[in-house]
Amino acid sequence: MTQTPSNGEPGADQTPDFNIGDPVAPQAPDSSVPPPYTQPSFGGSAPAAGDTTFASMAHWLSILISFIGPLIIWLTKGEQDKFVKDHAVEALNFNITLIIGYVISYILVAVSFGLLFFLPFLVWVVGLIFQIQGAIAANSGKTYKYPFALRLVK
């Protein structure tokens, strides 16, 4: 009867086999470890640099020349790229909404005999803020929907 030492070491007749110079065979990956997290992609691959430039220009030009800028970009680049078309149409719809807002605000200024003189300025500031946000989102390759806009052009 062979006794094993009380500390759990193998006895004299059991020697471990250490092959230090042997290469280690690759082991199969542990299936209990989940794969690393990757960001889900919505809408396919990221747009090209030229696409983001034209998409953001639709928003920047709308600040300078109203609906004319997004309309030109939509008509020239809209058929070539869906990302540019989406941003140009969104900027065009928002600028049409802003024009309606300006008309309503000037009518309210006239009806109130000038008491609501700040309304056109308020429409301009709100429009400017959202147009800048749209340009930044387009430049970084993200889609952008204005919080309020009449969807007249599709």
Side-chain angles (χ1 to χ4, degrees):
M1 188 188 240
T2 311
Q3 289 184 339
T4 318
S6 63
N7 61 2
E9 293 179 12
D13 58 343
Q14 299 174 348
T15 58
D17 185 23
F18 293 112
N19 294 328
I20 296 176
D22 292 342
V24 177
Q27 296 178 349
D30 187 11
S31 63
S32 66
V33 177
Y37 177 77
T38 58
Q39 185 71 22
S41 106
F42 300 103
S45 62
D51 300 340
T52 59
T53 302
F54 279 105
S56 78
M57 285 304 293
H59 298 282
W60 290 120
L61 286 174
S62 67
I63 294 171
L64 298 175
I65 53 177
S66 187
F67 70 94
I68 304 294
L71 180 63
I72 291 171
I73 290 179
W74 177 49
L75 292 175
T76 57
K77 294 289 183 180
E79 294 296 320
Q80 298 172 5
D81 186 26
K82 184 180 180 335
F83 182 75
V84 174
K85 178 184 177 184
D86 290 344
H87 276 279
V89 166
E90 191 66 24
L92 182 61
N93 283 329
F94 184 68
N95 278 286
I96 292 170
T97 305
L98 279 180
I99 290 171
I100 294 170
Y102 281 125
V103 169
I104 291 172
S105 67
Y106 281 118
I107 289 172
L108 289 174
V109 168
V111 169
S112 70
F113 299 108
L115 290 176
L116 300 174
F117 67 93
F118 58 89
L119 282 181
F121 179 72
L122 185 65
V123 170
W124 178 77
V125 168
V126 168
L128 182 67
I129 290 169
F130 289 134
Q131 289 166 333
I132 291 172
Q133 286 177 349
I136 291 171
N139 196 35
S140 63
K142 299 174 185 171
T143 59
Y144 183 78
K145 296 286 183 193
Y146 286 98
F148 56 90
L150 299 174
R151 310 278 186 236
L152 301 174
V153 179
K154 302 222 184 228

